[in-house]
Amino acid sequence: DLDQKHNHRWHKKFFLKENITFCTIQIPSVSHAVVVIFLEFFAWGLLTTPMLTVLHETFPQHTFLMNGLIQGVKGLLSFMSAPLIGALSDVWGRRSFLLVTVFFTCAPIPLMRLSPWWYFAAISMSGAFSVTFSVIFAYVSDVTEEHERSTAYGLVSATFAASLVTSPAIGAYLSACYGDNLVVLVATLVALADICFILLAVPESLPEKMRLNTWGAPITWEQADPFQSMRKVGKDPTVLLICITVFLSYLPEAGQYSSFFLYLRQVINFSSATIAVFIGVVGILSIIAQTLILTVLMRTIGNKNTVLLGLGFQILQLAWYGFGSEPWMMWAAGAVAAMSSITFPAVSALVSRSADPDKQGLVQGMITGIRGLCNGLGPALYGLIFFMFNFCIYNTVSLSIQKSLIPGPPFLLGSCTVVVAFLVALFIPENTEPPVVTCADAKDTSMLAGVHINTPLPGSDEDTPAPTSDEDFEPLLQDSFV
């Protein structure tokens, strides 16, 4: 009997130790989000050179226009689906939707060498699930405190830039030495590694009590409708100003991102190797800007002023790209563009401060939805403007425009929209903390916004009502009567 008791006590201690170790490994953290983002965009970064080649071979006469239309359809689908996926992740958890978004975003990669037409069609359709950033930012908000989120968002954005530091250069090298087929194979394997990492290593970040309390809560059409979501956001003047700023600033950025590498290659005459080096240098500078510089700016000049500074850099770099016609001008504007990358993480921190803990997925889904709308309108707008100015590949007209007063008309137009975004951002209040409301007001307004109030589980520690305080209410989607 004594031996049995001793063995039982030893086994209990052993399994307890093993469970503690396992739980320590499975604690959700920002590092999980960083790895997921890095692998996804590293896979797509490898395809930078092959995709430019396939795009030109498939649409030799209207490369800019078709590129804009393909990216435009993808962006519009992202806009339509982002609020729904964000709201569902608030109910069912982040991990499953990370898996879905990464899988469908990377699904078109193997089709590049199998069938270019199916590849571009799959890219367009994948926009319905290409909202990884909204789920990632909600994941980060679950595992960080409010004062840590701006730094965490900057780290995630910097990881996106870091994934593009070396991957285009690696892709260009492999393409030149071994052909595009190997590049597509490597990118597919990286995407599969990302999916396996989510399946095996990424823990759920949404607290279990939130998932259990809201599991039976229905997802209404109002929450899934992106336009309805924006109408609700419009009831809060602060959030409305932030959303307008996001739209006007990201519209030219989306168009620039979709066509800039093609512009460097066909108009500025950058080689594939030079483009890869350009992406790497700007990526390194963006990492520095979104980690070290962003943290210093948030602590010294504040959140709003950091957004304004980022918008100022964006105006400068777009105007420089618009008027610049020499390679050195592209490099100088790229350095300024790296500094402008601080805008989005700073804006995400502003919005996150106004959201309830269990509504982070919804609010980040709205912001990502607006960016998705820009991802649809921006590339289409840039492609149309390039087409109107006869930016045809290997056309003598494009060579003459290259030396004209405005080599890049879409970039100059984009700088004008960012000027308007800067003026709108000036009216964002310095203090974005949500207003203090009474219990009755919080209940009524949350019902208007379709917010599900979490009730504690019977028998839990939270079954006994706790005293209310000013910090208990952080309404996002409600009328501001102040």
Side-chain angles (χ1 to χ4, degrees):
D1 293 338
L2 292 176
D3 292 340
Q4 290 180 353
K5 290 181 180 180
H6 176 75
N7 291 335
H8 176 72
R9 200 160 39 241
W10 183 87
H11 282 291
K12 183 177 180 181
K13 184 185 297 184
F14 174 78
F15 285 116
L16 180 61
K17 181 179 179 181
E18 290 296 316
N19 289 335
I20 292 175
T21 305
F22 178 76
C23 292
T24 303
I25 297 175
Q26 290 297 313
I27 293 177
S29 63
V30 179
S31 60
H32 292 98
V34 165
V35 174
V36 172
I37 285 293
F38 179 84
L39 291 176
E40 177 180 337
F41 289 97
F42 186 87
W44 279 106
L46 291 171
L47 301 177
T48 302
T49 298
M51 187 160 58
L52 294 178
T53 303
V54 173
L55 187 65
H56 171 55
E57 292 176 351
T58 309
F59 310 105
Q61 298 299 322
H62 305 294
T63 308
F64 279 102
L65 180 62
M66 294 306 300
N67 177 67
L69 293 178
I70 292 169
Q71 299 296 331
V73 173
K74 177 181 178 181
L76 289 175
L77 291 177
S78 174
F79 164 72
M80 299 300 293
S81 65
L84 175 61
I85 293 179
L88 289 174
S89 73
D90 285 332
V91 176
W92 294 340
R94 320 294 185 197
R95 181 174 176 271
S96 57
F97 286 94
L98 276 179
L99 182 63
V100 170
T101 55
V102 171
F103 175 81
F104 283 99
T105 302
C106 298
I109 292 178
L111 298 176
M112 175 179 284
R113 302 309 300 174
L114 298 177
S115 174
W117 284 94
W118 280 107
Y119 168 71
F120 289 117
I123 285 181
S124 300
M125 295 300 103
S126 68
F129 298 95
S130 298
V131 290
T132 307
F133 263 107
S134 67
V135 185
I136 283 292
F137 279 134
Y139 191 100
V140 170
S141 68
D142 293 338
V143 300
T144 57
E145 299 294 334
E146 182 178 314
H147 66 279
E148 302 171 335
R149 285 176 189 162
S150 61
T151 302
Y153 290 152
L155 180 60
V156 172
S157 299
T159 302
F160 165 73
S163 65
L164 299 178
V165 170
T166 56
S167 57
I170 295 174
Y173 173 79
L174 293 177
S175 178
C177 296
Y178 304 102
D180 291 344
N181 290 335
L182 180 63
V183 182
V184 174
L185 177 60
V186 173
T188 303
L189 294 177
V190 173
L192 290 176
D194 196 11
I195 295 173
C196 293
F197 177 76
I198 297 174
L199 284 172
L200 302 177
V202 175
E204 177 57 55
S205 66
L206 191 66
E208 185 176 358
K209 61 180 181 180
M210 290 186 179
R211 284 180 281 147
L212 289 176
N213 290 345
T214 57
W215 184 264
I219 300 297
T220 63
W221 170 247
E222 291 183 351
Q223 289 177 283
D225 181 9
F227 300 100
Q228 181 68 20
S229 300
M230 287 193 293
R231 284 193 291 270
K232 290 178 180 178
V233 171
K235 295 180 181 179
D236 188 328
T238 299
V239 179
L240 176 61
L241 291 174
I242 295 175
C243 290
I244 294 175
T245 302
V246 170
F247 177 80
L248 293 176
S249 62
Y250 194 71
L251 182 67
E253 183 178 343
Q256 176 184 2
Y257 181 77
S258 67
S259 60
F260 185 64
F261 302 140
L262 190 63
Y263 177 80
L264 290 178
R265 183 170 184 174
Q266 305 298 342
V267 179
I268 308 299
N269 295 322
F270 273 25
S271 64
S272 298
T274 306
I275 292 176
V277 174
F278 180 89
I279 296 173
V281 172
V282 175
I284 293 174
L285 295 178
S286 298
I287 294 171
I288 297 174
Q290 294 175 14
T291 52
L292 300 178
I293 298 179
L294 177 64
T295 303
V296 173
L297 291 176
M298 292 289 289
R299 293 177 179 175
T300 55
I301 65 177
N303 203 330
K304 174 186 173 181
N305 291 329
T306 302
V307 173
L308 293 175
L309 184 62
L311 293 175
F313 282 119
Q314 188 177 2
I315 294 171
L316 179 59
Q317 61 103 350
L318 285 171
W320 209 336
Y321 282 139
F323 288 108
S325 59
E326 300 296 331
W328 71 267
M329 296 180 179
M330 301 297 104
W331 288 96
V336 180
M339 284 299 302
S340 69
S341 64
I342 64 176
T343 304
F344 182 58
V347 168
S348 298
L350 269 178
V351 176
S352 177
R353 291 182 176 182
S354 301
D356 289 331
D358 61 339
K359 293 294 176 287
Q360 291 293 329
L362 179 61
V363 63
Q364 296 297 344
M366 291 175 184
I367 296 299
T368 304
I370 294 175
R371 286 165 61 91
L373 179 61
C374 295
N375 282 329
L377 298 178
L381 180 63
Y382 269 52
L384 181 61
I385 295 176
F386 275 127
F387 179 75
M388 291 173 59
F389 279 80
N390 295 323
F391 272 73
C392 298
I393 307 305
Y394 300 120
N395 195 320
T396 55
V397 177
S398 67
L399 296 178
S400 63
I401 294 178
Q402 181 181 344
K403 299 299 182 181
S404 65
L405 181 62
I406 306 177
F411 303 112
L412 186 61
L413 178 63
S415 67
C416 296
T417 63
V418 182
V419 170
V420 180
F422 184 89
L423 297 176
V424 172
L426 289 174
F427 294 93
I428 298 176
E430 291 286 348
N431 183 14
T432 59
E433 295 296 329
V436 178
V437 297
T438 63
C439 297
D441 292 334
K443 181 178 180 181
D444 294 339
T445 53
S446 62
M447 292 174 63
L448 289 173
V451 177
H452 303 290
I453 300 176
N454 291 330
T455 56
L457 293 175
S460 64
D461 295 336
E462 298 180 359
D463 196 14
T464 304
T468 59
S469 63
D470 293 347
E471 297 179 354
D472 291 335
F473 302 100
E474 293 182 305
L476 169 67
L477 309 178
Q478 58 180 342
D479 294 323
S480 293
F481 53 86
V482 180

